Amino acid sequence: GNNMLEVKNLSFAYKNNKEILNNISFNIDNGDFLAILGNNGVGKSTLLKCLNNILKVDKGSVILNSQDLIKMKTFEIAKKVALVGQNIPSLDISVRDMVMLGRKPHMKWKFTEEDDRIVEDAMERIGIDKDMHSNFISNISGGECQKVVLARALAQSPELLLLDEPTSSLDIKNQYLVLNLVKDLIKEKNIIGIVVIHDINLAIKYCNKVLFLKDSQVYFSGNVQDINGQMIYDVYDVKSSIHEIKDQKIILVD
């Protein structure tokens, strides 16, 4: 059906530089959670920013539910795509106001009761305590902050949720918490999630699809179940073994 993301022949280079992304093609369906994996500098975050047109691609298309995002205006894309970045702004803005920003792309003239309900729902869903709502972003912990940014993305009611290393600043408990939340949201809302993440075992635990980038190209795109030692060796240049523990794949580097 149409409910999917199709990336076709996407290429991107920074000015007067060699190509970072060369002819990237892949597709995933609604309800899928895709991990983009590969070595540092291979273009994972760049790919994410191309998908929502923050970076203008040199060629290619990004078709989300039959519409090409590449051809859309920024404010139109914001109705469909939410990006949770690495850097959380240390703003003098309340938690609640931060989450309200997620409604901005959808607002007609003013903030409505419906917007209000969506914001409340998002904060509750992500587990932001009522007594946090009026706190300033600049005064809360990294873990809480990550939750607020996630709530803002959720309030945006996206069809595509992009996450750029959402766990890099979090302790272990919050890493699991955030990824688990995202995984549940993707299933429940039947949207598409894409995460750039360093920890391959975290990726395998929460994502059902994987895309390996290598030498500016897609080395492999498919099911997490199909990851094997040869792939790990080709992509990361390490020997490893793959184990099933409690129905879960775990990769151990030799």
Side-chain angles (χ1 to χ4, degrees):
N2 297 341
N3 288 345
M4 62 184 308
L5 176 74
E6 294 176 273
V7 176
K8 294 182 191 159
N9 308 116
L10 188 142
S11 294
F12 175 83
Y14 288 105
K15 291 280 163 280
N16 12 338
N17 216 318
K18 70 172 176 50
E19 221 162 26
I20 301 259
L21 299 171
N22 176 8
N23 241 11
I24 304 286
S25 296
F26 65 93
N27 50 47
I28 54 172
D29 295 320
N30 281 18
D32 279 341
F33 193 7
L34 171 79
I36 299 179
L37 298 168
N39 279 325
N40 282 354
V42 76
K44 300 186 295 289
S45 297
T46 301
L47 174 53
L48 219 51
K49 291 182 184 115
C50 286
L51 294 182
N52 76 341
N53 224 0
I54 287 181
L55 294 174
K56 304 286 178 221
V57 301
D58 299 322
K59 72 177 179 74
S61 56
V62 178
I63 315 281
L64 176 64
N65 302 332
S66 350
Q67 288 186 288
D68 191 352
L69 297 177
I70 301 296
K71 297 193 164 77
M72 289 169 74
K73 301 261 189 294
T74 307
F75 75 90
E76 290 175 330
I77 294 173
K79 291 177 187 168
K80 298 178 178 297
V81 186
L83 172 68
V84 174
Q86 292 174 38
N87 306 334
I88 303 196
S90 64
L91 297 169
D92 283 327
I93 175 176
S94 75
V95 165
R96 188 187 159 72
D97 286 344
M98 183 72 156
V99 179
M100 277 171 66
L101 286 175
R103 295 308 303 155
K104 197 164 166 266
H106 301 280
M107 276 162 62
K108 300 287 182 280
W109 296 105
K110 60 182 198 304
F111 198 68
T112 63
E113 275 178 32
E114 166 80 345
D115 291 317
D116 195 54
R117 190 185 57 72
I118 291 170
V119 164
E120 285 296 322
D121 186 54
M123 290 195 288
E124 188 180 339
R125 190 60 232 272
I126 303 293
I128 298 167
D129 294 335
K130 282 265 193 285
D131 56 6
M132 292 281 298
H133 292 191
S134 55
N135 285 5
F136 277 122
I137 292 290
S138 40
N139 292 341
I140 64 177
S141 72
E144 290 296 343
C145 227
Q146 193 66 48
K147 286 195 214 164
V148 174
V149 179
L150 200 53
R152 181 184 71 181
L154 180 56
Q156 217 173 309
S157 308
E159 295 167 29
L160 172 62
L161 177 59
L162 305 174
L163 305 135
D164 194 0
E165 294 185 34
T167 56
S168 56
S169 59
L170 301 180
D171 54 44
I172 285 183
K173 180 184 172 187
N174 280 303
Q175 286 182 4
Y176 288 110
L177 190 88
V178 164
L179 287 172
N180 214 21
L181 260 172
V182 172
K183 179 187 175 180
D184 288 350
L185 287 168
I186 289 165
K187 276 275 167 281
E188 179 193 314
K189 310 262 184 210
N190 198 34
I191 62 174
I192 293 167
I194 301 182
V195 63
V196 165
I197 190 164
H198 271 300
D199 185 329
I200 189 166
N201 282 314
L202 261 186
I204 290 173
K205 185 172 170 66
Y206 293 104
C207 299
N208 64 324
K209 300 283 179 183
V210 64
L211 176 80
F212 282 118
L213 285 180
K214 178 180 159 65
D215 300 332
S216 313
Q217 293 179 314
V218 175
Y219 167 84
F220 171 81
S221 167
N223 293 323
V224 158
Q225 295 315 320
D226 297 332
I227 294 175
N228 61 43
Q230 186 63 49
M231 291 178 191
I232 305 297
Y233 184 72
D234 289 348
V235 171
Y236 294 106
D237 195 28
V238 292
K239 290 197 166 68
S240 64
S241 52
I242 299 181
H243 305 266
E244 289 272 342
I245 300 174
K246 294 184 180 169
D247 297 329
Q248 199 184 304
K249 249 185 171 26
I250 299 213
I251 295 173
L252 297 178
V253 173
D254 293 354

